[in-house]
Amino acid sequence: MSVLIDPPLWPKHGTVWSHLVSDTSIDELIAFADRNGIPRRGFDLDHYDVPAERYDDLVAAGAEPVPARDLVRRLAASGLRVTPRERRASLGR
């Protein structure tokens, strides 16, 4: 299993957020999120946005903490990263 989480650094909605990804498969990511009660509304094509208060629980459940730069590098290397162009296209923009 290769589910990764970066530190909660991304501010929005009165908190800071982490990104949860898999460098193996989207199915693995969704299964991990489901097992840990992460709502599907947090899924954004190749990652979940998770609030800071969930970080320690997700690490305890097996997510590997990595710096944000490493998370992006490993996601891109896996071929699972959604590009900004693909993200805009999915939104019809």
Side-chain angles (χ1 to χ4, degrees):
M1 177 167 83
S2 297
V3 174
L4 313 171
I5 191 167
D6 65 0
L9 300 171
W10 314 100
K12 191 105 176 175
H13 306 296
T15 190
V16 288
W17 299 78
S18 292
H19 297 112
L20 187 70
V21 307
S22 170
D23 65 359
T24 305
S25 78
I26 295 299
D27 290 338
E28 174 188 47
L29 175 61
I30 291 170
F32 182 88
D34 287 348
R35 281 193 309 275
N36 288 284
I38 299 171
R40 292 272 174 116
R41 69 179 177 271
F43 184 66
D44 189 14
L45 302 177
D46 61 1
H47 72 277
Y48 279 86
D49 294 318
V50 293
E53 64 265 12
R54 294 299 317 272
Y55 182 85
D56 290 336
D57 292 339
L58 294 170
V59 170
E64 177 185 345
V66 296
R69 187 172 294 211
D70 290 351
L71 181 138
V72 172
R73 182 184 53 77
R74 289 176 63 177
L75 182 60
S78 74
L80 298 173
R81 182 153 195 235
V82 174
T83 66
R85 178 183 224 167
E86 293 167 328
R87 195 170 305 285
R88 284 190 304 273
S90 76
L91 296 173
R93 296 182 189 168

